[in-house]
Amino acid sequence: VDTFLELIQRAEGLELGQLEPLTTLLVWTWNTLYRVVVAEGSDVFVQGGSHFPEPTPAHIDGASAGGSFLKMGWIGVGLVMELRVRGKRIVTSPVVAIATERPSIPVVH
């Protein structure tokens, strides 16, 4: 059985604090596709699933295996995403993939 530390060390993922503001991530979990737009650090706008039908200000606390250990400010494949929205804690199903959404750049003639 893997320990949380072993899971975290092997998991693919990213640290939110290293991303530029307005970076848009697509985060697929077992149940939902989330669009996450970085505001600053772990403060984001999240949209997707039944909890977030519209872009909603949130704070991503981090990634966990569902227990008490949390890798702060991080999203990891195979781990759940833990968020806080208006003081309420939301835990997603495990993340299966993360991608950066390319911005659409309008062409001006």
Side-chain angles (χ1 to χ4, degrees), residues 14-25 35-46 58 60 75:
L14 53 88
E15 187 175 334
L16 292 164
Q18 295 182 347
L19 301 176
E20 292 291 321
L22 301 181
T23 299
T24 301
L25 303 172
R35 175 174 276 115
V36 177
V37 179
V38 176
E40 184 175 349
S42 296
D43 292 325
V44 300
F45 289 88
V46 62
I60 296 180
I75 299 173

Side-chain angles (χ1 to χ4, degrees), residues 66-84:
S68 59
F69 293 105
L70 185 69
K71 185 164 184 178
M72 303 296 286
W74 205 72
I75 299 173
V77 174
L79 303 170
V80 300
M81 195 169 43
E82 297 195 15
L83 307 99
R84 271 183 293 129

Side-chain angles (χ1 to χ4, degrees), residues 29-104:
T29 68
W30 283 358
N31 301 321
T32 305
L33 167 61
Y34 295 97
R35 175 174 276 115
V36 177
V37 179
V38 176
E40 184 175 349
S42 296
D43 292 325
V44 300
F45 289 88
V46 62
Q47 182 176 10
S50 60
H51 290 290
F52 311 111
E54 301 293 327
T56 304
H59 180 86
I60 296 180
D61 289 329
S64 79
S68 59
F69 293 105
L70 185 69
K71 185 164 184 178
M72 303 296 286
W74 205 72
I75 299 173
V77 174
L79 303 170
V80 300
M81 195 169 43
E82 297 195 15
L83 307 99
R84 271 183 293 129
V85 178
R86 294 181 217 87
K88 183 178 177 185
R89 182 172 170 253
I90 307 280
V91 179
T92 69
S93 58
V95 172
V96 295
I98 306 166
T100 303
E101 183 177 69
R102 300 219 178 266
S104 56

